[in-house]
Amino acid sequence: MGIIEWLFNAQLHIGDQAIMWRELIGNLFGLASALGGMRRKVWAWPVGIAGNLLLFTVFMGSLFNDTNHVNLLGQAGRQVMFIIVSIYGWYQWKTRTDQTSQEAVVPKWAGTWQRVGLVAAMFGGTLALTPLFRALGSYEPVWADAWIFMGSLLATWGMAKGWTEFWLIWVAVDIVGVPLLFSAGYYATGLMYVFYGVFTLSGFFVWWRVQRKEKAEGTVLAH
């Protein structure tokens, strides 16, 4: 067995459970990306992409001869989606960065119609994708996999746009994602989602405080 194959198949054994190191490391990259996003750093995007590549190989285990886990098509598909949207977000944040600030974006609220669009896309997309994922053989309950996919897409899009509400979309994803991942045997990702739930709430309040500070400073300057 070559070193690359050994690293690819390496597992961490906890009791009678085996966790792929790829799953653990991919989630740690995701956590680092979320931390960078909370601090509004451009490096959050490429770090997240690296984690997405690793997690794609985990959730599409059948393509990589992993017979110990079921395929989660929504989870695998969202890694591809993450990469595409993250390239867009990386470009958006990179081009917004100026010489006077270390932060790549100033948080703001989405508009009323943008919020309506987010809610409609969340529920409409979940309804549309559920029969597709079921036909492709995704793990039940398939609606939960579709919900996670749509929420991840919208949250990543919202982060790229600088909308503070994107943190709350992640909370909605985590609430559904934790029980789904545990039931499917993805314990490392399930535990990470528990942590993400707390982290995303913190991120929401951090961005909210930044908004209030920016608004207060703008009011002072206006006078």
Side-chain angles (χ1 to χ4, degrees), residues 8-13 16-24 55-73 137-139 180-190:
F8 195 80
N9 295 316
Q11 296 181 346
L12 173 66
H13 293 273
D16 60 349
Q17 302 295 334
I19 300 173
M20 300 295 295
W21 273 105
R22 285 179 286 130
E23 182 183 357
L24 183 60
L55 289 174
F56 175 80
T57 70
V58 172
F59 293 118
M60 286 300 294
S62 62
L63 294 179
F64 303 93
N65 300 316
D66 180 5
T67 60
N68 296 320
H69 294 97
V70 299
N71 287 338
L72 284 178
L73 301 182
S138 191
Y139 184 72
L180 176 68
L181 290 163
F182 276 122
S183 67
Y186 291 100
Y187 301 105
T189 305

Side-chain angles (χ1 to χ4, degrees), residues 36-113:
M38 185 170 69
R39 298 176 61 195
R40 295 173 287 144
K41 302 298 183 182
V42 174
W43 57 257
W45 296 105
V47 169
I49 290 172
N52 300 146
L53 290 170
L54 283 172
L55 289 174
F56 175 80
T57 70
V58 172
F59 293 118
M60 286 300 294
S62 62
L63 294 179
F64 303 93
N65 300 316
D66 180 5
T67 60
N68 296 320
H69 294 97
V70 299
N71 287 338
L72 284 178
L73 301 182
Q75 290 284 338
R78 82 182 191 131
Q79 306 309 319
V80 177
M81 172 275 297
F82 274 149
I83 293 171
I84 295 171
V85 180
S86 292
I87 292 172
Y88 168 78
W90 190 357
Y91 173 78
Q92 288 291 308
W93 283 28
K94 185 70 174 178
T95 55
R96 289 177 188 171
T97 304
D98 57 39
Q99 301 300 315
T100 62
S101 175
Q102 295 298 314
E103 287 75 31
V105 65
V106 176
K108 60 181 179 295
W109 296 117
T112 300
W113 286 110

